[in-house]
């Protein structure tokens, strides 16, 4: 769920099944169908460029590494930076930096909800941010909420 589309649907299903409102089974089934369709769409998607898949895997492996330098890794790939970024954007819809930031923010959202006693500082470090203030600024830009506020708003799902 690199783009964060599945989590809100899962939260809706959770809320429906715990509250058990009117016709909740029918609504939960529809949401589950939407998730399956989404997963099928992306499971069958083949990237045009193999090196993009390899680079995405490298990004996943270095998600918590605050010293991971995307520009340096692109240089190591043997492709020019412009060509690499163009191909990456064609396959993913985002630049490598945007992709990595989205991965890190989505991981932070999950950690904020799943680990209520872990500090925001530790979560920032686990997500590859060496500066908690920068993490908070980027997080707020992507979610419209500060990390602590996001945790509070989503604590019903913990």
């Amino acid at each position: 769920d690199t783009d964060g589309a599945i989590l809100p649907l899962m939260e809706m299903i959770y809320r429906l099944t715990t509250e058990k409102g009117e016709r909740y089974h029918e609504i939960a089934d529809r949401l589950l169908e939407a998730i399956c369709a989404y997963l099928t769409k992306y499971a069958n998607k083949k990237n045009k460029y193999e090196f993009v898949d390899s680079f995405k895997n490298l990004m996943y492996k270095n998600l918590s590494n605050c010293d991971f330098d995307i520009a340096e890794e692109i240089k190591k790939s043997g492709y020019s930076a412009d060509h690499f970024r163009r191909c990456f954007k064609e396959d993913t819809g985002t630049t490598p930096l945007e992709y990595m930031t989205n991965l890190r923010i989505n991981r932070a959202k999950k950690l904020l909800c799943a680990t209520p006693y872990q500090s925001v500082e530790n979560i920032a470090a686990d997500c590859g941010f060496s500066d908690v203030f920068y993490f908070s600024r980027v997080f707020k830009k992507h979610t419209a909420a500060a990390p602590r506020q996001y945790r509070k708003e989503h604590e019903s799902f913990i």
Side-chain angles (χ1 to χ4, degrees):
D1 187 24
T2 58
D3 60 4
I6 295 175
L7 184 62
L9 294 174
M10 294 299 290
E11 289 172 346
M12 284 185 232
I13 290 172
Y14 176 80
R15 194 176 311 127
L16 283 167
T17 55
T18 56
E19 293 172 2
K20 298 186 181 186
E22 187 178 324
R23 296 176 42 206
Y24 81 94
H25 281 292
E26 182 181 332
I27 297 168
D29 286 344
R30 297 288 180 258
L31 288 170
L32 193 55
E33 287 172 14
I35 290 170
C36 290
Y38 180 84
L39 291 174
T40 302
K41 175 184 169 188
Y42 284 97
N44 295 329
K45 184 181 181 241
K46 298 283 186 216
N47 284 335
K48 187 174 177 182
Y49 305 100
E50 251 184 70
F51 64 88
V52 170
D53 275 334
S54 299
F55 199 76
K56 284 170 38 180
N57 288 334
L58 182 65
M59 293 170 120
Y60 283 116
K61 289 177 187 171
N62 286 282
L63 200 55
S64 62
N65 180 359
C66 61
D67 295 324
F68 182 72
D69 186 346
I70 291 174
E72 190 60 38
E73 293 300 326
I74 289 173
K75 283 180 190 175
K76 291 179 187 176
S77 73
Y79 296 96
S80 77
D82 287 338
H83 175 72
F84 189 96
R85 285 186 185 92
R86 203 171 22 258
C87 294
F88 193 94
K89 187 160 186 166
E90 188 177 327
D91 270 2
T92 66
T94 64
T95 66
L97 181 60
E98 291 168 339
Y99 190 86
M100 185 68 147
T101 302
N102 287 335
L103 286 176
R104 288 177 167 166
I105 294 300
N106 286 328
R107 178 181 167 97
K109 289 179 354 186
K110 290 172 189 162
L111 288 173
L112 285 165
C113 293
T115 56
Y117 301 107
Q118 188 175 9
S119 70
V120 172
E121 291 81 5
N122 287 343
I123 290 174
D126 285 349
C127 296
F129 292 91
S130 59
D131 181 352
V132 71
F133 299 109
Y134 176 69
F135 163 71
S136 294
R137 205 166 53 244
V138 171
F139 190 89
K140 189 169 185 174
K141 179 181 174 187
H142 281 80
T143 64
R148 285 181 179 84
Q149 178 186 358
Y150 183 88
R151 177 181 270 165
K152 220 178 242 186
E153 290 171 359
H154 293 81
E155 67 188 356
S156 64
F157 299 110
I158 296 174

